[in-house]
Amino acid sequence: MVRDSIDRIGVVGAGTMGSGIAQVAATNGYDVVMRDVEREFVENGFDRIDDSLERLANRDALPTDPGTIRERIEGTTDLDALGDADLVVEAVLENLEVKQEVFADLEAVCVEDVVLATNTSTLSITSIASDLEHPERVVGLHFMNPVPVMEGVEVVVGEKTSPEVTDLAHEVAESLEKTTWESDDKPGFVTNRILMPWINEGIRAYDEGVASKEDIDRGMELGTNVPMGPLTLADHIGLDVCLHASETLAEELGDRYQPAYLLKRKVEAGDLGKKTGQGFYEYDD
Ligand SMILES: NC(=O)c1ccc[n+]([C@@H]2O[C@H](COP(=O)([O-])OP(=O)(O)OC[C@H]3O[C@@H](n4cnc5c(N)ncnc54)[C@H](O)[C@@H]3O)[C@@H](O)[C@H]2O)c1
């Protein structure tokens, strides 16, 4: 059973993805409640939203003024504030135990017909929902980074996810001006299952001296018509995120998913890509 009308969306986690999801939901007219564990993290989320709204407003890419959109988002550290949401999207860190705890908390505050979605990139929807009384209301809504810019959302169907919850997930994503595709709950879903080996192979090719990093990226961009080559894309995603995703996939799918040696070495050195100013390339801001 799902609600006929979704008016208020809860977001758990005000980090990179949670703040982006809150922003896009508010931009499309939803009331939003965005929850993190510390007030400081909520405020950081609002700072990211303000910056992004300002950039979009400067490009005339918003349906209304940033202030109106911003007012639709309530920031909180209070778990109970999620209790009046019609649908909740979880976007906390990529750790199964943490996500299971968050879903147990959500089950305690959200009544049975509230859909509980997870933005996980690599974890099993079925495992995240496994201890719940109502696993049929759990679905993957895998937004891409940066959420306000990327058009695609992957809807991931767990073993127990009900068809009406899956349909609602597509509808809600489409109401956020996104285009969806559907994946079964298999490791990495469609996107990361194919993307992570591609990135790791690009890194290995560089490490083995097949070509310069610029030529590897240029070759893939011009030769296969992708907007970014593997080394540039890895820097944008975050090398720690790529490493963690590759390790999770390798556990499930075997050795062909093992992370490239150079990826591990860069992460150990603290060079995590764009966010630290140094990855395969150097970044000024
Ligand atoms: N960053 C990406 O490129 C990307 C892309 C797609 C999906 N994802 C997935 O989205 C999720 C979030 O990733 P992110 O990059 O936004 O992480 P992040 O580290 O930027 O943000 C996570 C936030 O969750 C908060 N948090 C932790 N426990 C919490 C709890 N119990 N209740 C409320 N908030 C809590 C943290 O304080 C932090 O602010 C992960 O599952 C990740 O795999 C990330």
Side-chain angles (χ1 to χ4, degrees):
M1 196 174 49
V2 296
R3 294 187 176 182
D4 292 337
S5 156
I6 304 294
D7 302 313
R8 188 166 170 82
I9 293 185
V11 179
V12 192
T16 310
M17 298 305 287
S19 61
I21 295 165
Q23 176 187 328
V24 165
T27 302
N28 288 283
Y30 288 97
D31 279 330
V32 178
V33 52
M34 176 174 78
R35 192 236 169 188
D36 210 302
V37 283
E38 302 273 345
R39 192 70 224 172
E40 184 196 341
F41 302 147
V42 175
E43 292 310 325
N44 292 344
F46 275 125
D47 288 347
R48 269 190 295 274
I49 291 171
D50 288 340
D51 287 350
S52 173
L53 287 176
E54 193 186 319
R55 277 198 304 277
L56 291 168
N58 289 340
R59 297 201 326 247
D60 276 335
L62 292 177
T64 182
D65 63 291
T68 304
I69 294 170
R70 176 71 147 76
E71 272 170 25
R72 294 182 186 140
I73 309 173
E74 178 194 335
T76 185
T77 55
D78 178 13
L79 180 70
D80 291 341
L82 295 164
D84 58 359
D86 302 306
L87 172 143
V88 178
V89 186
E90 167 276 316
V92 307
L93 54 152
E94 188 77 344
N95 174 294
L96 181 61
E97 286 73 38
V98 174
K99 287 194 192 288
Q100 284 176 329
E101 263 176 45
V102 167
F103 275 79
D105 287 346
L106 288 174
E107 188 155 72
V109 293
C110 300
V111 294
E112 196 183 321
D113 62 353
V114 174
V115 169
L116 305 179
T118 171
N119 191 49
T120 182
S121 321
T122 52
L123 299 172
S124 156
I125 310 304
T126 309
S127 304
I128 291 172
S130 61
D131 291 338
L132 300 187
E133 209 171 308
H134 292 290
E136 71 284 353
R137 60 162 153 170
V138 179
V139 65
L141 259 182
H142 183 202
F143 289 84
M144 309 289 144
N145 185 24
V147 183
V149 176
M150 295 292 284
E151 192 197 329
V153 173
E154 187 162 50
V155 172
V156 187
V157 184
E159 194 62 34
K160 295 275 173 77
T161 310
S162 77
E164 54 178 352
V165 167
T166 305
D167 289 347
L168 186 81
H170 283 284
E171 277 165 35
V172 169
E174 280 158 18
S175 76
L176 303 178
E177 295 181 276
K178 303 297 184 194
T179 302
T180 57
W181 61 93
E182 200 169 299
S183 171
D184 193 13
D185 186 20
K186 300 264 176 11
F189 319 133
V190 173
T191 45
N192 282 325
R193 182 183 179 113
I194 297 169
L195 180 64
M196 285 306 147
W198 184 76
I199 285 177
N200 278 300
E201 203 46 45
I203 298 170
R204 285 190 195 100
Y206 170 50
D207 203 17
E208 289 170 23
V210 173
S212 68
K213 58 193 173 192
E214 290 84 0
D215 275 358
I216 288 171
D217 280 344
R218 199 175 301 129
M220 294 313 291
E221 284 161 25
L222 300 179
T224 70
N225 211 16
V226 293
M228 266 181 219
L231 302 171
T232 303
L233 182 57
D235 273 359
H236 274 75
I237 294 172
L239 302 192
D240 53 337
V241 175
C242 293
L243 176 60
H244 187 248
S246 305
E247 286 171 342
T248 306
L249 291 174
E251 270 170 36
E252 296 284 345
L253 296 172
D255 276 353
R256 70 188 203 273
Y257 282 85
Q258 286 296 344
Y261 169 72
L262 184 57
L263 177 63
K264 290 193 240 177
R265 208 179 59 192
K266 290 247 172 224
V267 172
E268 279 161 12
D271 293 340
L272 306 184
K274 222 175 163 208
K275 60 186 166 191
T276 61
Q278 179 71 57
F280 291 103
Y281 298 92
E282 235 181 88
Y283 302 88
D284 290 336
D285 48 1

